[in-house]
Amino acid sequence: MRATLARGALAVTSMVALAFLVPLALVTRQIAEDRALLDARQQAAAVVTALAVSTDPTVLSRAMAATADGPRQRLAVHLPGGVTLGTRRATASDVALTASRGGSLTAPVDDGLVYLQPAALDGGRSAVVEVYVPEADLSRGVATAWWSMGALAALLVAISVGLADRLGWRVVGATRQLARASKAVGSGDLTVRVIPAGPPDLVEVGEAFNSMAGRLSSVIDAERERAADLSHRLRTPLTALRLDCDALPPGPAADRMRQAVEALDAEIDAIIAGARRTAAERAAEETDLVDVVADRLAFWAVLAEDHGRPWQVVAGDSPVWLPVPRTDAIGAVDALIGNIFRHTPHGTGFRVTVTSQAMVVEDAGPGIPDPDAALRRGVSGGGSTGLGLDIVCQLARQAGGDVAVDRGDLGGARITVTLSPLPDSPAEPAPIPALRFRRGRPT
């Protein structure tokens, strides 16, 4: 855009400059010619005055010598009878024409022109005064004037282009700032704001953008508060469930029920705490995916033992930091593993692999018949809400990645979540020996 404005200013200013320069150049040359001819008339008038006094060649020679052009051999007097004093350059026909018509005449000659002025003598006779004007006098100062006007025009064009570029820089800078801020908001960063700058229209747009971003952040924070309130309402049935667990007779089943209630209570606390964080706090949060996977598999491992599900975790020794809140990462991991428990028979094994570039969860179940439909929000082929994989897709978008569903090496569904980890995360995880597909806990 800056280049376009600069080129437009260059074109317009150049056309305006040419529209003025061409006439001015012609006028300047005409002025120089008029000035040279005026000087020639003055020289001729001085000699005509001398002719009115006397036609004596000696007197005329002294009068010619007293002028500026006489000593330079530029004056001549054509007397009746064909006598000529001085250096003659005009043709005989031009001299005769001037004497007969009684008016001045300008005629071209080699390297200039001559000015012929008639002078009336007694007895009806006429003399003609000739003044030679060289080409150098006709164009004296013209080149300097043209160069000056050209330099001034070039300066004006350069100034206009510079001003246009400056204006373009303001417009482009403000527009690029708005574009960057819009992309940041589109990627989920609601804390970004712009400094309104540029022309008044762009300043108004920048202020409107800041107002919109602030409103979006307020609305999302209000929705999170509402989600926290809804989560808090789960404590009522949870309390009743805790009382029922306390009433159970001692035994392994009662212990498992109490552990499940405690875990559910902790999950509700985490959901409420995460929901009440503002958009600014969530945008600044980072999470180690390896730590989240290890923590959640420690929870799911107990249920896997009860269902007879062999499982395996493959991860590097180095953390994989993602620019997402920990609660979001936990929700995505739970959604992936929970789908396995809900949609595959007991005894179906699964494997979780975490690298710096992806998280892969695969199982040995029947697979997903329509992967494209499974990735659409609210669509489920297993009778559920269809929101589990949507939670995973949201995590992938926050982490700058994507989600793919296909059939894995274990024979069932394989869900691959590609990632764009933070710079602190290594490009590749530290190599570890392959783990045998078995039951166990992550190490």
Side-chain angles (χ1 to χ4, degrees):
M1 186 175 181
R2 291 176 62 185
T4 302
L5 288 175
R7 287 194 295 268
L10 176 63
V12 172
T13 312
S14 299
M15 288 188 292
V16 173
L18 287 175
F20 281 95
L21 280 178
V22 173
L24 282 176
L26 297 177
V27 170
T28 301
R29 182 172 180 84
Q30 185 63 44
I31 290 175
E33 292 180 358
D34 292 345
R35 184 178 62 243
L37 290 176
L38 178 61
D39 185 63
R41 291 190 187 97
Q42 293 174 351
Q43 302 293 322
V47 178
V48 168
T49 302
L51 283 170
V53 176
S54 173
T55 58
D56 184 11
T58 303
V59 175
L60 293 176
S61 297
R62 286 200 298 268
M64 292 168 60
T67 62
D69 288 340
R72 293 186 292 180
Q73 303 298 316
R74 295 182 181 180
L75 277 177
V77 178
H78 303 279
L79 296 173
V83 179
T84 299
L85 302 177
T87 304
R88 175 175 181 168
R89 290 181 175 83
T91 62
S93 60
D94 290 337
V95 173
L97 178 61
T98 302
S100 63
R101 64 185 290 186
S104 62
L105 177 68
T106 301
V109 294
D110 294 339
D111 298 329
L113 53 83
V114 290
Y115 174 75
L116 302 175
Q117 177 67 46
L121 302 177
D122 56 354
R125 297 177 303 163
S126 296
V128 177
V129 179
E130 174 189 332
V131 181
Y132 169 65
V133 183
E135 182 66 31
D137 288 355
L138 292 173
S139 60
R140 180 180 298 132
V142 174
T144 302
W146 284 1
W147 277 108
S148 300
M149 289 188 293
L152 179 60
L155 178 62
L156 292 176
V157 171
I159 291 175
S160 67
V161 172
L163 291 176
D165 182 73
R166 180 64 179 176
L167 176 62
W169 178 83
R170 291 182 62 202
V171 173
V172 171
T175 305
R176 287 178 176 173
Q177 182 185 199
L178 283 170
R180 288 193 296 268
S182 300
K183 290 180 180 178
V185 170
S187 63
D189 184 7
L190 299 181
T191 63
V192 66
R193 297 293 185 272
V194 299
I195 300 176
D201 292 341
L202 279 180
V203 170
E204 186 176 353
V205 172
E207 293 173 349
F209 175 87
N210 289 339
S211 177
M212 178 200 68
R215 179 60 179 163
L216 283 175
S217 181
S218 299
V219 169
I220 291 177
D221 290 342
E223 290 296 327
R224 291 191 176 280
E225 286 291 340
R226 188 175 294 109
D229 295 340
L230 293 175
S231 300
H232 185 73
R233 292 169 58 183
L234 295 175
R235 291 192 179 278
T236 300
L238 181 63
T239 301
L241 183 61
R242 187 191 302 275
L243 294 175
D244 290 340
C245 289
D246 292 340
L248 291 175
D255 293 339
R256 286 196 300 270
M257 288 294 294
R258 293 188 185 94
Q259 291 177 1
V261 170
E262 293 295 334
L264 182 58
D265 186 50
E267 287 296 322
I268 293 176
D269 288 339
I271 291 174
I272 294 175
R276 301 197 65 181
R277 282 197 296 273
T278 64
E281 293 172 340
R282 291 172 59 83
E285 190 171 350
E286 299 174 1
T287 301
D288 177 15
L289 182 61
V290 173
D291 180 65
V292 170
V293 170
D295 179 65
R296 299 316 300 159
L297 280 175
F299 167 78
W300 287 103
V302 177
L303 189 57
E305 293 286 346
D306 293 339
H307 288 192
R309 295 178 183 269
W311 61 275
Q312 181 187 22
V313 60
V314 180
D317 294 334
S318 301
V320 178
W321 292 100
L322 300 179
V324 298
R326 183 177 179 86
T327 54
D328 291 357
I330 290 174
V333 173
D334 283 347
L336 289 172
I337 301 177
N339 280 344
I340 297 175
F341 280 79
R342 282 190 293 270
H343 301 300
T344 61
H346 287 201
T348 302
F350 64 93
R351 178 169 60 200
V352 180
T353 304
V354 179
T355 69
S356 64
Q357 302 301 322
M359 175 176 63
V360 182
V361 178
E362 49 190 327
D363 60 64
I368 298 177
D370 190 352
D372 294 334
L375 292 176
R376 291 199 294 269
R377 181 177 176 84
V379 177
S380 174
S384 64
T385 61
L387 299 180
L389 285 182
D390 186 71
I391 295 174
V392 178
C393 292
Q394 292 180 29
L395 174 76
R397 285 192 292 269
Q398 293 181 61
D402 201 357
V403 178
V405 178
D406 58 2
R407 187 169 294 275
D409 297 337
L410 302 182
R414 176 171 60 191
I415 300 175
T416 303
V417 184
T418 57
L419 306 170
S420 294
L422 295 172
D424 293 339
S425 180
E428 291 295 337
I432 59 174
L435 299 179
R436 182 171 56 85
F437 188 70
R438 59 175 178 80
R439 298 181 184 180
R441 296 178 181 269
T443 56

